[in-house]
């Protein structure tokens, strides 16, 4: 229940779900690219999923086509013959149809009840649609029957808690990070107010806003694993970022080195929490095949990197700031600690935040990473003590200071 005095408003929440997406940021997309492909300049579709379009003359089915960006992006691939694309949003399908390439056909389909053509498709792509399906048993059964014997299923979905009822510890981390941000970055676009903290959306508001939203999301991956053989998966995260950034992500300007640094640091920290198992990953990209299939990835070449990926600056790590970095005092014996790669990423971003202009990418030197790690171990300081001391020798930004303190406290508490 919303309860008397609740801030939740169904109309505002519905609008924010539709219009203020946490991925609407170049910095966030680069982070997700790297988690999927290992390269912030290459995305999941053209530089990861493309390998699982195995064979030639392929017939593809796209589930959850929306306004058609995915089909338009792949329709020209030389190994694709035709694409059928469906969604249950009639207005979006009409807009997609108006821009459709010649080899793409659209239809309005409700996967809760629809029957798909049997044994027709070489590749099925489900994009942000299955977490809206209540009758998952029917939908997954139809998908399996629509696939040819050696077809692949590519899924890009929210697979977190049903109706966004995330855990208490996730909420606490989210609000710890929110408290570090200045008011200008917490000012909402849709709600036109300053967000002080996040809350779980009440179930009645969720259902009133969209009764299909994340209706059985947490069951999705287990049901796919039961029916199909998963060949590969990437855990994108989004567990903190999605709820933290809704309605404020647009405030973090990519061309402002400080605002971009805040967001990149938060992204790196969420990734570390997911990879360590401290929190689950709410978003997943996976590829699967029918259990009788032996289809594998195809040796597809990577597309060229964009011109923007050539804008690279040197690694800021090394010997800078050595004079102001303390050693653990009092003669205490401290177990040597190691700066993990994600910690080095946070330090790099913090160090370049003070610059008037930043390049799109930072060249990460293995030698400088080794030097930094060696110096940290020799100091006897814990990783975030070292990071804080190294950074503060160059800058005094209160937001970065607060973020580093919060990251260190949360990371220590998770161990």
């Amino acid at each position: 229940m919303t309860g008397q005095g609740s801030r939740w408003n169904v109309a505002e929440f519905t609008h924010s779900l539709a219009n203020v997406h946490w991925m609407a940021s170049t910095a966030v997309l680069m982070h997700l690219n790297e988690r999927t492909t290992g390269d912030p300049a290459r995305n999941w579709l053209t530089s990861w999923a493309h390998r699982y379009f195995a064979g030639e003359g392929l017939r593809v089915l796209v589930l959850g086509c929306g306004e058609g960006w995915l089909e338009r992006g792949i329709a020209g691939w030389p190994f694709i013959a035709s694409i059928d694309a469906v969604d249950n949003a009639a207005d979006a399908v009409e807009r997609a149809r108006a821009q459709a390439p010649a080899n793409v056909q659209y239809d309005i389909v409700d996967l809760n009840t629809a029957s798909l053509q049997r044994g027709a498709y070489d590749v099925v792509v489900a994009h942000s649609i299955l977490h809206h399906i209540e009758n998952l048993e029917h939908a997954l059964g139809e998908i399996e029957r629509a696939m040819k014997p050696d077809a692949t299923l590519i899924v890009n979905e929210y697979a977190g808690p049903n109706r966004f009822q995330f855990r208490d510890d996730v909420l606490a981390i989210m609000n710890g990070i929110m408290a570090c941000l200045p008011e200008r970055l917490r000012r909402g676009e849709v709600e036109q107010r300053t967000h002080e903290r996040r809350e779980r959306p009440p179930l009645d508001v969720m259902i009133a806003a969209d009764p299909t939203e994340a209706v059985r999301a947490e069951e999705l991956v287990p049901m796919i694993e039961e029916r199909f053989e998963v060949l590969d998966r990437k855990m994108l995260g989004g567990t903190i970022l999605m709820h933290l950034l809704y309605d404020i992500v647009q405030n973090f300007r990519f061309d402002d080195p400080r605002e971009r640094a805040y967001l990149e640091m938060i992204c790196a920290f969420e990734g570390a929490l997911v990879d360590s198992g401290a929190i689950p990953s709410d978003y997943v990209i996976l590829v699967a095949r029918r259990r009788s299939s032996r289809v594998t990835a195809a040796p597809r070449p990577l597309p060229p990197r964009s011109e923007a990926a050539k804008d690279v600056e040197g690694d800021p790590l090394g010997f800078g700031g050595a004079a102001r970095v303390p050693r653990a005092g009092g003669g205490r014996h401290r177990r040597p600690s190691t700066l993990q790669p994600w910690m080095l990423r946070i330090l790099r971003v913090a160090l370049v935040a003070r610059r008037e202009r930043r390049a799109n990418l930072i060249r990460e030197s293995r030698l400088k990473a080794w030097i930094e790690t060696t110096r940290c171990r020799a100091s006897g300081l814990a990783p975030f003590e070292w990071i804080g001391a190294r950074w503060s020798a160059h800058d005094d930004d209160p937001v970065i200071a607060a973020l580093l303190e919060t990251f260190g406290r949360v990371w220590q508490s998770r161990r």
Side-chain angles (χ1 to χ4, degrees), residues 25-346:
S25 160
T26 300
V28 172
L29 291 177
M30 289 172 65
H31 165 72
L32 297 177
N33 284 349
E34 188 164 18
R35 289 192 65 79
T36 308
T37 70
D39 184 342
R42 290 194 167 105
N43 67 44
W44 71 275
L45 184 62
T46 63
S47 300
W48 180 78
H50 73 305
R51 297 176 299 138
Y52 296 102
F53 286 71
E56 303 294 329
L58 303 178
R59 188 176 179 192
V60 178
L61 174 64
V62 176
L63 307 174
C65 63
E67 297 188 0
W69 69 268
L70 194 152
E71 305 84 72
R72 292 193 295 273
I74 68 175
W77 289 0
F79 42 85
I80 290 180
S82 66
I83 303 171
D84 292 337
V86 304
D87 203 299
N88 64 350
D91 290 348
V93 170
E94 284 306 309
R95 288 191 290 272
R97 187 177 282 134
Q99 306 175 71
N103 62 341
V104 181
Q105 300 295 319
Y106 286 99
D107 199 2
I108 301 167
V109 166
D110 181 355
L111 292 176
N112 286 290
T113 57
S115 296
L116 302 175
Q117 187 176 348
R118 298 295 189 263
Y121 298 102
D122 301 285
V123 181
V124 178
V125 182
H127 186 271
S128 297
I129 186 63
L130 295 179
H131 73 277
H132 286 283
I133 304 303
E134 186 167 8
N135 192 355
L136 279 174
E137 292 83 358
H138 172 81
L140 291 175
E142 286 297 312
I143 289 169
E144 184 177 17
R145 285 186 284 273
M147 295 169 64
K148 293 180 181 179
D150 284 330
T152 50
L153 170 63
I154 299 168
V155 174
N156 185 337
E157 286 285 348
Y158 170 80
N162 292 347
R163 302 194 189 279
F164 302 158
Q165 299 303 295
F166 42 82
R167 299 180 338 198
D168 289 345
D169 60 335
V170 170
L171 181 61
I173 296 169
M174 202 181 302
N175 282 322
I177 295 172
M178 177 72 86
C180 299
L181 301 177
E183 181 177 350
R184 72 179 188 279
L185 296 182
R186 292 185 281 109
R187 183 72 179 173
E189 180 177 279
V190 171
E191 299 184 19
Q192 291 295 306
R193 66 182 185 85
T194 301
H195 296 279
E196 299 297 336
R197 58 181 289 109
R198 294 306 191 195
E199 304 169 18
R200 264 185 222 92
L203 282 172
D204 59 339
V205 173
M206 283 290 302
I207 293 169
D210 182 352
T212 74
E213 183 62 68
V215 59
R216 293 179 66 187
E218 63 194 42
E219 301 173 64
L220 178 56
V221 171
M223 290 180 70
I224 290 174
E225 291 174 332
E226 182 179 352
R227 190 178 289 270
F228 300 93
E229 180 185 357
V230 175
L231 297 177
D232 196 2
R233 79 180 76 200
K234 302 294 181 180
M235 311 308 284
L236 298 185
T239 315
I240 292 167
L241 293 174
M242 176 173 68
H243 305 286
L244 175 72
L245 295 178
Y246 101 83
D247 199 30
I248 66 171
V249 68
Q250 71 285 341
N251 296 333
F252 296 83
R253 294 169 296 175
F254 188 79
D255 60 356
D256 184 301
R258 291 200 180 276
E259 292 175 5
R260 177 181 167 192
Y262 306 154
L263 190 50
E264 288 178 328
M265 291 168 68
I266 295 167
C267 288
F269 187 59
E270 184 200 69
L273 291 175
V274 169
D275 292 342
S276 70
I279 62 172
S281 176
D282 281 1
Y283 281 80
V284 63
I285 298 179
L286 62 81
V287 60
R289 64 186 180 188
R290 299 178 66 169
R291 293 202 173 274
S292 60
S293 172
R294 290 295 175 265
V295 68
T296 58
R300 303 288 186 200
L302 286 172
R305 299 176 91 210
S306 67
E307 286 296 311
K310 297 178 182 178
D311 183 23
V312 183
E313 61 187 301
D315 195 329
L317 301 185
F319 288 104
R324 292 185 57 182
V325 175
R327 296 178 65 87
R332 292 173 295 166
H333 176 70
R334 303 281 294 267
R335 187 172 69 177
S337 55
T338 299
L339 289 171
Q340 299 181 29
W342 66 270
M343 297 173 179
L344 291 168
R345 171 68 59 82
I346 285 176

